[in-house]
Amino acid sequence: MAEKVKCLIIGSGPAGYTAAVYAARAELAPVLYTGAEMGGQLMITTDVENYPGYPDGVMGPQMMEDFRKQAARFGTDIRMGVIKEVDFTGPIHKAIADDGTEILADSIIISTGASAKWLGIESEQKFMNKGVSACAVCDGFFFKGLDVALVGAGDTAAEEATYLAKLCPTVHMFVRRDEMRASKIMQERVKNTENIIIHWNTSTEEILGNEEVEGVRVVNNKTGEKKEIPVKGFFVAIGHKPNTDMFKGWLDMDETGYLICKPDTAKTNIEGVFASGDARDKVYRQAVTAAGTGCMAALDAERYLTEKGLI
Ligand code: NDP
């Protein structure tokens, strides 16, 4: 038998938990499904220095534990599970969890976040978890004392290169252009770290090895010159894709899959369905902006339920 809820929140990053705090305090009795990666992307981050309220910085996982506790304190029903399917045909929205639970929700807040992107070369798949990783903070430890390579030039890449440089003798960083996208302060940190070697205008052709990664073949995009560099680990840090596949055909999204909201709101094209966090934000993608849109989504949901006489 289907379970009936006033407010279903999908996802457990800063957006989902913030939506939960607001929805629970508004007595919407929210049910939150954490998704496969409870806590979201911040669980694989080290120091967060730019979230207001933590003057000395905080570790990502600790911050998400704080968020979770705050959401739980006001009575959010937090469930470790994944929503697999939705049906937005009727006025009451349907969602099905991976354990088969069917939920009928008057309102839904989507906070499904985004996931790491991959280069798409064959060897990347071949060596997945055998030396290839998209998370230096998760897997860097396994390469302690070994030389590694990392591809990417955004804040994530800069952060991960700096992290790896504390564990590994040499970190080769492959930047496909002649400049980095990362913020100035992060770039400076990378440039000032002696054991990070930045290879400008460089793309990865293939990851080399038999059973495990033994090196990487790269090409200079300007000169065409190729070289092989021996490394034991290869980290991909080239950005993210929004986790919105399940909403294709139901919700308006851009060509990359970012959900489109009505201006200055969290409202999607379906009444009673709201979007927050990285699933709808390709521009800012910060924990604090995700929390902000999570708050917006809960306030919009509360107003919607009030207007419809559902609370
Ligand atoms: P970004 O989209 O900002 O950067 C992706 C990087 O990967 C770009 O430099 C891009 O190159 C490069 N890239 C993309 N595809 C390829 C490819 N096929 N081969 C080689 N390089 C490639 O993603 P991030 O994950 O770094 O950051 C996402 C957001 O999160 C940003 O807004 C960032 O500021 C924020 N963030 C903040 C942190 C903090 O403040 N502590 C930490 C981490 C992230 P190109 O520049 O040429 O397009």
Side-chain angles (χ1 to χ4, degrees):
M1 205 185 69
E3 184 185 348
K4 176 81 182 15
V5 304
K6 282 188 231 154
C7 179
L8 171 68
I9 299 170
I10 312 176
S12 58
Y17 282 141
T18 304
V21 169
Y22 275 77
R25 293 187 78 254
E27 301 192 332
L28 305 186
V31 170
L32 181 150
Y33 274 80
T34 59
E37 290 158 29
M38 186 171 173
Q41 291 179 73
L42 279 157
M43 298 302 282
I44 53 171
T45 302
T46 48
D47 291 301
V48 179
E49 295 175 339
N50 51 10
Y51 199 91
Y54 291 101
D56 302 319
V58 60
M59 299 301 273
Q62 180 59 50
M63 187 165 109
M64 293 327 295
E65 177 58 9
D66 292 346
F67 270 60
R68 189 197 61 75
K69 278 193 195 144
Q70 195 173 353
R73 183 183 149 207
F74 297 108
T76 307
D77 179 351
I78 299 173
R79 300 179 186 175
M80 305 242 310
V82 180
I83 297 293
K84 287 280 191 210
E85 201 183 319
V86 291
D87 182 339
F88 296 155
T89 317
I92 300 184
H93 307 304
K94 199 158 100 180
I96 299 167
D98 53 353
D99 64 357
T101 306
E102 200 176 298
I103 295 171
L104 298 176
D106 289 325
S107 67
I108 293 190
I109 295 174
I110 297 165
S111 323
T112 45
S115 299
K117 280 203 257 182
W118 297 96
L119 291 174
I121 55 176
E122 210 177 293
S123 46
E124 186 181 49
Q125 283 303 317
K126 180 180 165 195
F127 293 113
M128 191 71 67
N129 301 322
K130 291 179 197 151
V132 171
S133 162
C135 177
V137 179
C138 318
D139 301 328
F141 182 78
F142 301 118
F143 300 92
K144 200 172 174 183
L146 304 170
D147 287 348
V148 295
L150 174 135
V151 56
D155 278 334
T156 303
E159 192 176 78
E160 300 212 330
T162 316
Y163 178 82
L164 289 169
K166 291 180 193 144
L167 298 168
C168 308
T170 306
V171 179
H172 295 276
M173 184 170 184
F174 304 132
V175 176
R176 67 177 172 183
R177 293 185 290 137
D178 56 6
E179 58 177 348
M180 286 171 70
R181 186 188 291 268
S183 54
K184 280 273 173 300
I185 185 165
M186 308 278 255
Q187 286 196 37
E188 286 314 309
R189 245 176 243 175
V190 168
K191 288 173 186 167
N192 292 332
T193 305
E194 265 180 23
N195 57 333
I196 300 178
I197 301 174
I198 305 175
H199 302 256
W200 301 100
N201 300 305
T202 298
S203 291
T204 309
E205 274 206 341
E206 221 57 77
I207 303 157
L208 310 169
N210 291 316
E211 290 303 306
E212 293 179 339
V213 172
E214 281 159 25
V216 56
R217 187 171 68 243
V218 292
V219 58
N220 185 300
N221 300 326
K222 288 227 158 123
T223 62
E225 186 202 341
K226 296 184 187 194
K227 59 183 165 188
E228 292 186 5
I229 301 172
V231 291
K232 287 291 188 187
F234 184 81
F235 292 86
V236 181
I238 60 168
H240 296 84
K241 178 188 174 300
N243 299 320
T244 56
D245 286 352
M246 162 170 64
F247 308 111
K248 271 192 189 136
W250 297 110
L251 299 182
D252 291 344
M253 48 183 80
D254 73 6
E255 66 290 347
T256 332
Y258 285 96
L259 298 175
I260 296 172
C261 291
K262 303 203 165 120
D264 301 325
T265 75
K267 295 174 188 168
T268 66
N269 53 302
I270 300 270
E271 268 208 325
V273 178
F274 305 90
S276 63
D278 285 11
R280 60 159 287 181
D281 175 16
K282 65 173 169 193
V283 179
Y284 302 103
R285 294 179 293 189
Q286 300 299 296
V288 69
T289 49
T293 54
C295 161
M296 284 166 65
L299 293 177
D300 282 352
E302 185 193 354
R303 279 174 202 149
Y304 167 79
L305 294 170
T306 306
E307 278 163 19
K308 293 278 169 193
L310 294 166
I311 49 170

